């Protein structure tokens, strides 16, 4: 019985495994105050069955724990088979969440999860386990090829005085040692191995971002093969550049974008430079996965620097998912500087933007962090952390309150949607779908700003934001986005990437709309004709609402409406606004 194995823990204590010698996987549990633990290695892995093997599926496998039989899932069993002896040779303890935490004790889970960030950050080493190889030779060639990529980038940086933009221009099909041209070559088979490694479910896990980014030099194991984060990052860089060429094999374009490139970017930007507030982390990790929906929030609490008080959001697995996600809204509304920023996280299912079949029903104004797809929130800060937009004018302070399943806000309706375009969701590498939204009569005047309709449109589709300078006053130059990569200088190639990023961030997974008063804007994919545009007090953005009955609305999502993003619709005659109930 589990109760015979686990002894109660004090709040400051943690269990560790001491791996025992012998042919079987056997260990003893030892308890230490967390900050007095002997050197230990922590395991980062995926729960469940092994991601790739030739064995018959088997739910659980036996190990020996405290002289008793203890069952573990398949992927963990494989990890222990390959890694336990390494841990023992280093004379370290081993921390594995599925074993060291009594998973049947909810109170213990609630307490132990609060130690996770410390456990991984202060481990002697973190081992990342990807599973066993499907093809040993391809994985061996993959690790060798990644090392070659690392040498290529290192030598290029030395040659070009650490100018990565210049190094990037040398990554081309002319580099036969890195371009997968011949399907019979070791290079091509190495790319096949990279494909296998980087498409593992490990990289999509929410918890991995805390586990694999808090420790320098983490080795990732696939069976007996291993590589580090530096090789991951250079491989993503190489793949990103080669993907710009039409004859780069389609099957290898999985890295741009992909879960592994997402983590590599977080490694570069998150641990060192990426914003690390709770909302920023929730936004960045939206596409990650976890079997426990509460963990979309709980897995990142240790990384969120703005949670200064430990009792703001406390892990509690007895709470419903709806209550946990509502806690995030409640926290954000308590921060005056956030305004209504949390509403930018609201995404409703559209086509295949879904979580699992057990996604709970939530009020329309509560972000459902189980939905993996959808648009990014609009960028709401420019240089010096100033508000990017100010649709609410002088009403920067919100009065939003949560009453059971309702959010009560103040504001006023200002317009109605009369037409919507198709959704841009299919090809993040091409702006052709967005360009197809171009308005008729492009030389006519767009009355809200005095621009011609073409310039107003090209400003709208990037939400008037220049990402490189973090400033307003920007529009898209189609000659840049449509240029052939072979013809571009390094500066032009960088400019094209910046424009495409701005387009994808603003218009990706959104529609272009036209309103009753002749305004154009970007609205959520689920917006439809007849939806209303509101200014809400405390909101930088415009907001799309759908009337349900008198005074009650379904919250559709935030929007950018060109020409009214700086308080133009809020005047002295506006008054205090009306109370609006979001259900």
């Amino acid at each position: 019985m589990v109760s015979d194995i686990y002894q109660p823990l004090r709040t400051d204590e943690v269990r560790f495994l001491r791996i025992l010698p012998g042919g079987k996987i056997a260990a003893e549990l030892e308890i230490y105050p967390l900050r007095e633990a002997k050197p230990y290695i922590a395991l980062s892995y995926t729960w469940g069955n092994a991601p790739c093997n030739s064995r018959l599926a088997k739910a659980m496998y036996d190990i020996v724990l405290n002289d008793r039989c203890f069952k573990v899932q398949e992927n963990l069993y494989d990890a222990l088979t390959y890694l336990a002896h390494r841990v023992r040779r280093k004379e370290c303890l081993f921390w594995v969440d599925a074993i060291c935490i009594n998973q049947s004790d909810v109170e213990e889970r609630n307490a132990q999860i609060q130690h996770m960030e410390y456990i991984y950050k202060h481990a002697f080493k973190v081992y990342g386990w990807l599973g066993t190889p499907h093809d040993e030779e391809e994985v061996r060639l993959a690790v060798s090829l990644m090392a070659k990529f690392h040498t290529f980038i290192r030598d290029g940086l030395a040659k070009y005085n650490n100018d990565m933009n210049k190094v990037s221009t040398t990554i081309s099909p002319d580099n036969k040692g890195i371009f997968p041209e011949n399907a019979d070559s070791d290079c091509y088979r190495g790319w096949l191995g990279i494909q296998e490694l980087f498409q593992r479910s490990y990289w999509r896990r929410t918890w991995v971002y805390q586990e694999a980014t808090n420790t320098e030099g983490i080795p990732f194991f696939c069976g007996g093969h291993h590589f580090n984060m530096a090789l991951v990052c250079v491989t993503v860089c190489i793949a990103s550049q080669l993907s710009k060429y039409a004859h780069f094999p389609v099957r290898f374009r999985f890295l741009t974008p992909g879960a592994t490139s997402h983590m590599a970017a977080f490694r570069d930007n998150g641990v060192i430079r990426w914003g690390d507030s709770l909302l920023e982390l929730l936004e960045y990790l939206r596409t990650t996965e976890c079997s426990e929906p509460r963990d979309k929030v709980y897995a990142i609490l240790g990384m969120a620097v703005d949670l200064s008080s430990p009792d703001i959001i406390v892990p509690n697995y007895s709470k419903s998912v709806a209550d946990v996600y509502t806690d995030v809204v409640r926290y954000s509304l308590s921060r005056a500087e956030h305004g209504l920023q949390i509403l930018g996280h609201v995404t409703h299912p559209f086509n295949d933007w879904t979580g699992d079949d057990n996604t709970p029903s939530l009020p329309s104004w509560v972000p459902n962090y189980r939905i993996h797809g959808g648009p990014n929130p609009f960028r709401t800060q420019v240089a010096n952390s100033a508000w990017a937009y100010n649709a609410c004018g002088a009403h920067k302070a919100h009065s939003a309150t949560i009453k059971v399943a309702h959010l009560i806000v103040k504001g006023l309706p200002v317009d109605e949607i009369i037409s919507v375009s198709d959704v841009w969701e299919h090809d993040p590498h091409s702006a052709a779908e967005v360009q197809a939204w171009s308005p008729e009569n492009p030389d006519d005047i767009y009355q809200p700003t005095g621009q011609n309709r073409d310039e107003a449109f090209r400003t709208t589709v990037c939400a008037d934001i220049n990402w490189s300078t973090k400033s307003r006053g920007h529009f898209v130059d189609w000659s840049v986005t449509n240029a052939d990569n072979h013809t571009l200088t390094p500066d032009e190639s960088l400019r094209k990437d910046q424009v495409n990023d701005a387009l994808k961030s603003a218009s990706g997974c959104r529609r272009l709309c036209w309103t009753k008063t002749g305004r154009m804007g970007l609205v959520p994919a689920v917006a439809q004709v007849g939806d209303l545009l509101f200014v809400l007090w405390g909101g930088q953005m415009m907001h799309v609402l759908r009337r349900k009955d008198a005074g009650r609305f379904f919250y559709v999502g935030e929007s950018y409406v060109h020409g009214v993003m700086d308080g133009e619709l809020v005047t002295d005659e506006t008054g205090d606004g009306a109370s609006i109930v979001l259900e």
Side-chain angles (χ1 to χ4, degrees):
M1 293 178 61
V2 170
S3 59
D4 295 333
I5 294 177
Y6 291 110
Q7 300 301 313
L9 295 174
R10 295 198 302 267
T11 55
D12 66 333
E13 290 182 331
V14 177
R15 298 186 192 92
F16 294 92
L17 298 174
R18 182 172 297 281
I19 305 298
L20 301 177
K24 293 182 178 180
I25 300 174
E28 294 177 344
L29 288 170
E30 297 183 359
I31 297 175
Y32 292 90
L34 178 58
R35 287 164 174 74
E36 298 175 17
K38 296 178 180 179
Y40 63 90
I41 293 171
L43 181 65
S44 173
Y45 69 109
T46 304
W47 282 41
N49 292 334
C52 188
N53 62 62
S54 59
R55 308 191 301 271
L56 294 175
K58 183 178 180 181
M60 306 297 283
Y61 289 77
D62 293 335
I63 66 170
V64 176
L65 184 64
N66 287 3
D67 293 324
R68 289 175 174 80
C69 179
F70 186 87
K71 294 187 178 297
V72 298
Q73 293 177 319
E74 184 179 49
N75 193 43
L76 176 53
Y77 183 83
D78 288 345
L80 293 171
T81 300
Y82 277 89
L83 302 179
H85 67 285
R86 287 178 174 268
V87 175
R88 185 170 175 275
R89 282 205 307 266
K90 292 183 179 294
E91 298 183 347
C92 285
L93 301 172
F94 204 16
W95 190 85
V96 181
D97 60 352
I99 303 175
C100 295
I101 299 174
N102 182 354
Q103 299 296 326
S104 64
D105 186 333
V106 174
E107 289 188 8
E108 181 175 308
R109 287 171 62 199
N110 292 342
Q112 289 290 297
I113 197 174
Q114 298 180 60
H115 297 320
M116 298 271 280
E117 190 266 348
Y118 185 95
I119 288 171
Y120 282 99
K121 188 173 184 178
H122 292 87
F124 169 73
K125 185 73 71 174
V126 175
Y127 284 170
W129 174 252
L130 306 184
T132 56
H134 174 70
D135 187 309
E136 287 276 357
E137 181 62 10
E138 286 181 358
V139 171
R140 183 190 69 79
L141 290 170
V143 175
S144 176
L145 184 60
M146 287 191 285
K148 184 180 292 186
F149 295 161
H150 189 270
T151 300
F152 181 91
I153 297 294
R154 182 196 64 200
D155 292 349
L157 289 172
K159 180 177 180 180
Y160 293 106
N161 196 29
N162 291 322
D163 188 336
M164 190 60 204
N165 290 329
K166 289 185 178 179
V167 176
S168 296
T169 64
T170 68
I171 303 171
S172 74
D174 296 334
N175 304 117
K176 301 304 180 184
I178 64 176
F179 193 84
E181 194 166 32
N182 184 349
D184 296 327
S185 68
D186 283 352
C187 177
Y188 194 97
R189 293 189 66 199
W191 274 100
L192 289 175
I194 291 172
Q195 181 181 26
E196 178 189 339
L197 291 172
F198 285 14
Q199 288 186 324
R200 294 290 175 102
S201 59
Y202 174 86
W203 307 104
R204 299 191 295 272
R205 288 183 58 239
T206 308
W207 278 107
V208 160
Y209 285 78
Q210 176 174 271
E211 299 165 1
T213 57
N214 272 3
T215 303
E216 293 292 335
I218 174 174
F220 299 103
F221 291 87
C222 182
H225 309 279
H226 59 90
F227 54 95
N228 60 26
M229 184 60 78
L231 297 191
V232 172
C233 291
V234 297
T235 301
V236 169
C237 175
I238 295 284
S240 178
Q241 290 301 118
L242 294 181
S243 292
K244 297 178 181 179
Y245 296 92
H247 58 299
F248 184 67
V250 173
R251 69 182 304 167
F252 299 139
R253 295 178 185 267
F254 62 92
L255 277 176
T256 53
T260 320
S261 61
H262 198 257
M263 178 185 278
F266 186 83
R267 179 67 184 185
D268 282 347
N269 299 319
V271 176
I272 302 171
R273 291 181 297 276
W274 177 263
D276 46 13
S277 72
L278 178 64
L279 294 194
E280 288 169 322
L281 291 167
L282 285 167
E283 172 191 344
Y284 195 79
L285 303 184
R286 184 88 186 229
T287 59
T288 62
E289 301 171 357
C290 51
S291 57
E292 166 54 70
R294 299 165 187 83
D295 283 344
K296 289 305 290 278
V297 175
Y298 293 161
I300 63 177
L301 294 181
M303 296 187 287
V305 298
D306 56 335
L307 295 178
S308 55
S309 173
D311 58 357
I312 292 177
I313 299 179
V314 179
N316 184 349
Y317 288 97
S318 64
K319 279 190 171 185
S320 70
V321 175
D323 284 344
V324 173
Y325 293 176
T326 302
D327 282 346
V328 175
V329 179
R330 186 174 288 108
Y331 160 71
S332 183
L333 294 177
S334 74
R335 301 290 295 265
E337 69 274 16
H338 285 190
L340 297 181
Q341 184 180 352
I342 186 64
L343 293 180
H345 285 224
V346 172
T347 297
H348 299 293
F350 179 82
N351 288 351
D352 59 349
W353 309 349
T354 58
D356 60 27
D357 293 335
N358 297 316
T359 298
S361 176
L362 300 171
S364 66
W365 49 272
V366 175
N368 188 346
Y369 292 109
R370 293 291 280 164
I371 296 176
H372 302 144
N376 295 318
F378 286 102
R379 180 181 288 274
T380 54
Q381 284 188 343
V382 289
N384 301 320
S385 298
W387 277 27
Y389 310 102
N390 185 30
C392 62
H395 297 280
K396 287 190 175 184
H398 73 79
S399 60
T401 56
I402 297 173
K403 292 188 176 180
V404 192
H406 297 151
L407 179 66
I408 302 173
V409 295
K410 278 193 172 184
L412 70 155
V414 293
D415 217 331
E416 180 179 337
I417 295 173
I418 61 170
S419 71
V420 292
S421 70
D422 292 334
V423 179
W424 184 32
E425 61 171 335
H426 299 297
D427 186 358
H429 300 288
S430 171
E433 289 180 72
V434 175
Q435 197 168 355
W437 297 346
S438 296
E440 297 178 355
N441 306 316
D443 294 328
D444 287 357
I445 297 300
Y446 180 71
Q447 294 299 333
T449 63
Q451 300 167 287
N452 65 44
R453 285 158 60 98
D454 176 66
E455 184 176 314
F457 167 72
R458 290 185 290 118
T459 305
T460 298
V461 293
C462 63
D464 194 27
I465 288 285
N466 185 324
W467 274 45
S468 59
T469 61
K470 294 184 178 180
S471 62
R472 295 278 299 279
H474 184 55
F475 55 84
V476 174
D477 182 348
W478 297 121
S479 66
V480 174
T481 64
N482 297 332
D484 189 323
N485 290 308
H486 293 278
T487 67
L488 300 179
T489 66
D491 287 343
E492 290 170 338
S493 180
L494 178 62
R495 172 63 178 154
K496 179 176 181 178
D497 288 343
Q498 290 172 340
V499 172
N500 282 334
D501 283 345
L503 270 174
K504 185 168 64 173
S505 176
S507 293
C509 302
R510 290 190 170 96
R511 302 178 188 270
L512 184 79
C513 81
W514 285 91
T515 74
K516 187 176 288 187
T517 61
R519 301 181 180 107
M520 76 173 82
L522 296 172
V523 294
V526 295
Q528 60 191 37
V529 171
D531 286 344
L532 302 177
L533 287 164
F534 273 71
V535 174
L536 299 182
W537 296 175
Q540 288 193 44
M541 309 304 302
M542 297 288 289
H543 299 269
V544 182
L545 276 59
R546 186 170 301 152
R547 188 183 299 278
K548 298 184 69 175
D549 52 42
R552 298 176 184 269
F553 295 87
F554 177 91
Y555 184 77
V556 177
E558 65 177 5
S559 65
Y560 171 91
V561 181
H562 189 51
V564 297
M565 298 304 297
D566 296 298
E568 292 87 346
L569 298 178
V570 181
T571 65
D572 293 339
E573 289 75 35
T574 300
D576 293 333
S579 289
I580 301 159
V581 179
L582 305 181
E583 295 186 330

